[in-house]
């Protein structure tokens, strides 16, 4: 690929969301969401509980099926009938609030299961890749540990390493620190900061305002199922335009 083609490709959104709507029964959770995520960007999504943040994240990889609208990933409409959603999902890593590790497997087996079964990667190669990612999250010595013996922070770092083993283009984080004790939140955020510095495209639903302020390229504030405001961290934290954004951030910055 020529330099011109690479530049043009980088100028295209990795993810484009248009007119996205999602309801659960009579409850309309997402209302006409439009959002572009560029390659290499870190986009944090903030807002009160129940504002639709996690549902939006889960619609990006179709863990929730939108009622209307489109989600394009690398130019492919995930809602189109001919699209191999499972193949595209292999390039989207997801880290959940509750870790979602397999408790009947050790750390290394958790990390190699998907590459071996989905990507048909040789076990030895998958283990080599997994050991590298475990080392990168500070858990190189825990490869053969029972996941039930790990702390919450260690489990979440294993979950990040596991997602990275699929060599994703995009990482989705759904409140990755909210289930952790305050004293171990930092170890997970540090791994995420390092990923951001390495250029990983990330969408992060979080209540960690310091992460949103200091690591994001763009902050998206959601309120009652819509994107009420978005912009650079400098704009959002210093001069938000919407009264609801100011109210929300004032409360968090006080805390």
């Amino acid at each position: 690929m020529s330099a011109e083609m690479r530049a043009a490709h980088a100028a295209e959104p990795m993810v484009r969301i248009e007119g996205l709507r999602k309801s659960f029964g009579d409850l309309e959770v997402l209302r006409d969401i439009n959002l572009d995520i560029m390659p290499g960007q870190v986009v944090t999504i903030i807002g009160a509980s129940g504002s639709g943040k996690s549902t939006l994240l889960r619609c990006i990889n179709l863990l929730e099926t939108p009622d209307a609208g489109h989600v394009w990933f690398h130019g492919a409409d995930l809602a189109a009938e001919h699209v191999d959603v499972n193949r595209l999902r292999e390039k989207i890593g997801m880290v959940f609030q509750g870790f979602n590790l397999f408790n009947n497997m050790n750390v290394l087996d958790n990390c190699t299961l998907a590459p071996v079964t989905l990507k048909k990667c040789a076990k030895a190669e998958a283990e080599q890749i997994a050991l590298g990612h475990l080392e990168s999250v500070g858990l190189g010595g825990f490869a053969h540990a029972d996941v039930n013996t790990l702390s919450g922070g260690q489990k979440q770092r294993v979950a990040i390493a596991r997602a990275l083993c699929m060599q994703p283009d995009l990482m989705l984080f759904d409140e990755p620190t909210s289930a952790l004790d305050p004293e171990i939140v930092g170890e997970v955020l540090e791994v995420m900061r390092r990923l951001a510095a390495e250029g990983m495209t990330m969408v992060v639903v979080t209540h960690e305002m310091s992460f949103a302020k200091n690591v994001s390229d763009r902050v998206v504030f959601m309120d009652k199922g819509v994107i009420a405001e978005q912009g650079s961290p400098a704009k959002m934290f210093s001069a938000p335009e919407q009264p609801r954004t100011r109210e929300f951030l004032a409360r968090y910055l006080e805390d």
Side-chain angles (χ1 to χ4, degrees):
M1 188 184 291
S2 69
E4 292 82 2
M5 289 176 67
R6 281 197 299 272
H9 186 69
E12 290 293 315
M14 183 179 291
V15 178
R16 169 161 282 168
I17 299 168
E18 287 187 1
L20 194 67
R21 292 179 177 271
K22 178 65 180 177
S23 296
F24 296 101
D26 295 331
L27 179 63
E28 194 174 27
V29 179
L30 298 176
R31 298 183 284 148
D32 197 28
I33 299 290
N34 299 285
L35 182 67
D36 285 353
I37 298 154
M38 304 303 291
Q41 270 194 335
V42 177
V43 176
T44 52
I45 304 175
I46 63 173
S49 297
S51 59
K53 307 182 302 295
S54 291
T55 301
L56 172 57
L57 199 74
R58 292 169 67 86
C59 283
I60 292 175
N61 64 357
L62 295 192
L63 286 178
E64 298 289 354
T65 304
D67 298 327
H70 298 274
V71 178
W72 281 276
F73 175 60
H74 283 317
D77 186 349
L78 295 183
E81 289 184 8
H82 67 278
V83 168
D84 186 343
V85 173
N86 290 328
R87 177 59 57 88
L88 283 172
R89 268 202 198 122
E90 290 179 6
K91 305 302 288 181
I92 304 176
M94 180 101 180
V95 177
F96 299 88
Q97 179 178 335
F99 321 132
N100 288 22
L101 298 177
F102 297 105
N103 290 325
N104 60 334
M105 297 181 181
N106 68 21
V107 167
L108 188 60
D109 288 341
N110 263 277
C111 291
T112 58
L113 178 65
V116 169
T117 57
L118 298 177
K119 296 181 78 172
K120 308 304 180 188
C121 186
K123 186 79 186 305
E125 181 186 354
E127 288 185 349
Q128 204 61 38
I129 292 168
L131 289 169
H133 287 305
L134 287 170
E135 194 70 41
S136 75
V137 301
L139 293 174
F142 289 80
H144 300 289
D146 181 339
V147 297
N148 299 291
T149 66
L150 303 181
S151 70
Q154 289 170 331
K155 287 180 180 179
Q156 196 59 293
R157 285 185 284 152
V158 170
I160 294 171
R162 178 180 63 176
L164 292 172
C165 286
M166 289 295 285
Q167 298 173 295
D169 295 336
L170 171 68
M171 286 282 285
L172 308 177
F173 293 85
D174 189 8
E175 300 196 33
T177 60
S178 61
L180 303 179
D181 293 331
E183 64 267 24
I184 56 176
V185 165
E187 64 190 44
V188 174
L189 292 179
E190 181 53 38
V191 171
M192 294 169 65
R193 285 189 192 96
R194 199 157 57 242
L195 279 178
E198 291 168 359
M200 174 62 73
T201 309
M202 297 163 59
V203 185
V204 184
V205 170
T206 186
H207 291 293
E208 297 290 338
M209 292 300 121
S210 62
F211 182 89
K213 185 176 182 179
N214 297 316
V215 182
S216 305
D217 297 296
R218 187 148 43 101
V219 178
V220 174
F221 172 63
M222 291 189 66
D223 185 45
K224 298 178 181 175
V226 301
I227 294 177
E229 188 170 357
Q230 60 177 303
S232 69
K235 171 186 175 293
M236 293 292 284
F237 283 92
S238 300
E241 295 173 1
Q242 300 299 320
R244 183 70 186 93
T245 314
R246 290 197 293 270
E247 177 191 334
F248 174 82
L249 287 174
R251 191 173 77 246
Y252 264 96
L253 294 175
E254 280 172 14
D255 294 342

